[in-house]
């Protein structure tokens, strides 16, 4: 009987620990300026503008928010199943909207395309996003490129693991451009990762008719503890007044 009571108390304690914080997942790849791993102290510390935002949000709602880094696939599946309460830094698209709820936006990003100036010294002839289809593009696995008017296909290879690898694919001649938010590419400087962003061969230009893209949290529809907190989270994010970050 005593053992049974102890087991019950252990289960209740574990449940209480699970309820006293929210779990937020993000991709286990650096995504500056939003989330990235700072290894300068010899330890893995998650930093970035989204990490700072969640710290302030946790204090506002009276519940800490723990960031878990995992694969993009596991993050999305975990939010869908309620393993994680929140997913970080997502564009809104029709496919995800069938599975998740979205927060108000907290940042808007500028859509750019990047090219190799050693092969295209005058840049690409891109006057509207449809012109990207005239060239070979590279993208990152799991990312949404709908706002660029792009989808995986013969002329758009979505096999890169990160912005660093997609940049390497560009300079290896495997594609003519890669689409990305300028804030993210510039954000690699915050990590000291300048291989791509400061390469003198890297050229870039805005996609003229591609709108700035809002960044959202995605909410799990299976998280009971999140439901009562969502009005306070939404109110906090609305008060942030999302803006487009000016690149350096």
């Amino acid at each position: 009987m005593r053992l049974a009571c102890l087991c019950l108390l252990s289960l209740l304690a574990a449940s209480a620990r699970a309820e006293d914080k929210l779990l937020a997942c993000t991709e286990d790849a650096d995504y500056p300026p939003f989330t990235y791993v700072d290894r300068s102290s010899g330890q893995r510390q998650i930093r970035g503008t989204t990490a700072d935002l969640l710290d302030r949000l946790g204090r506002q709602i009276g519940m800490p928010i723990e960031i878990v880094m995992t694969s993009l696939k596991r993050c999305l599946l975990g939010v869908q199943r309620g393993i994680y309460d929140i997913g970080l830094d997502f564009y809104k698209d029709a496919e995800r909207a069938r599975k998740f709820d979205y927060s108000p936006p907290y940042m808007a990003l500028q859509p750019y395309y990047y090219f190799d100036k050693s092969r295209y010294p005058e840049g690409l002839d891109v006057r509207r996003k449809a012109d990207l289809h005239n060239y070979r593009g590279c993208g990152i696995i799991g990312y949404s490129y709908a706002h660029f008017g792009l989808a995986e296909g013969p002329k758009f290879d979505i096999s890169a693991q990160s912005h660093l690898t997609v940049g390497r694919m560009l300079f290896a001649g495997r594609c003519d451009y890669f689409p990305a938010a300028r804030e993210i590419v510039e954000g690699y400087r915050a990590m000291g990762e300048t291989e791509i962003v400061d390469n003198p061969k890297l050229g870039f230009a805005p996609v003229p008719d591609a709108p700035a893209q809002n960044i959202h949290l995605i909410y799990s529809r299976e998280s009971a503890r999140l439901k009562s907190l969502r009005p306070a989270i939404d109110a906090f994010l609305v008060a942030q007044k999302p803006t487009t970050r000016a690149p350096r």
Side-chain angles (χ1 to χ4, degrees):
M1 183 69 174
R2 182 179 179 185
L3 180 59
C5 290
L6 288 173
C7 290
L8 179 59
L9 288 172
S10 297
L11 288 171
L12 290 172
S15 175
R17 285 195 296 273
E19 293 295 332
D20 66 4
K21 64 184 175 184
L22 294 177
L23 293 181
C25 64
T26 188
E27 185 180 7
D28 190 15
D30 292 318
Y31 194 52
F34 303 106
T35 50
Y36 60 93
V37 177
D38 181 358
R39 301 173 179 85
S40 60
S41 65
Q43 298 179 339
R44 288 171 55 92
Q45 294 182 305
I46 301 174
R47 301 197 185 280
T49 57
T50 302
D52 293 341
L53 179 75
L54 292 190
D55 184 58
R56 299 197 309 273
L57 173 59
R59 293 197 300 270
Q60 177 71 24
I61 64 175
M63 181 174 288
I65 304 172
E66 178 182 334
I67 299 176
V68 178
M69 301 191 86
T70 184
S71 70
L72 181 59
K73 182 178 180 179
R74 287 177 180 173
C75 180
L76 289 168
L77 187 60
V79 175
Q80 186 176 355
R81 293 179 175 176
I83 298 169
Y84 305 116
D85 305 289
I86 294 168
L88 305 180
D89 305 327
F90 282 94
Y91 294 136
K92 183 180 286 189
D93 67 25
E95 176 63 26
R96 289 174 184 159
R98 287 193 282 269
K99 302 175 183 177
F100 311 106
D101 294 329
Y102 283 85
S103 76
Y106 51 90
M107 186 60 65
L109 304 183
Q110 302 173 84
Y112 272 62
Y113 68 92
Y114 290 79
F115 58 91
D116 185 342
K117 290 191 293 186
S118 68
R119 289 191 290 133
Y120 294 98
E122 302 301 321
L124 307 185
D125 185 14
V126 174
R127 302 177 189 182
R128 55 198 179 101
K129 60 187 179 184
D131 294 332
L132 292 171
H133 295 281
N134 298 326
Y135 300 92
R136 296 173 303 134
C138 290
I140 301 172
I141 296 171
Y143 280 33
S144 173
Y145 292 96
H147 55 295
F148 288 97
L150 296 169
E152 186 173 15
K155 299 193 73 173
F156 191 51
D157 175 5
I158 305 180
S159 63
Q161 298 291 329
S162 69
H163 287 88
L164 291 177
T165 54
V166 82
R168 290 168 184 162
M169 290 171 69
L170 174 72
F171 293 130
R174 292 176 58 184
C175 53
D176 301 314
Y177 73 92
F178 68 84
R182 188 173 177 189
E183 293 81 359
I184 295 173
V185 177
E186 296 280 337
Y188 275 85
R189 287 199 184 94
M191 303 162 45
E193 294 280 359
T194 59
E195 173 189 341
I196 303 302
V197 67
D198 285 345
N199 190 313
K201 296 191 298 182
L202 186 67
F204 55 88
V207 180
D209 60 342
Q213 286 299 293
N214 288 327
I215 295 294
H216 306 259
L217 305 178
I218 56 172
Y219 293 142
S220 174
R221 294 173 180 172
E222 301 301 320
S223 171
R225 62 177 170 263
L226 180 63
K227 289 179 182 178
S228 63
L229 294 169
R230 278 183 52 174
I233 295 173
D234 287 350
F236 174 85
L237 294 175
V238 167
Q240 304 307 301
K241 298 180 180 179
T243 58
T244 300
R245 294 176 62 90
R248 290 185 289 173

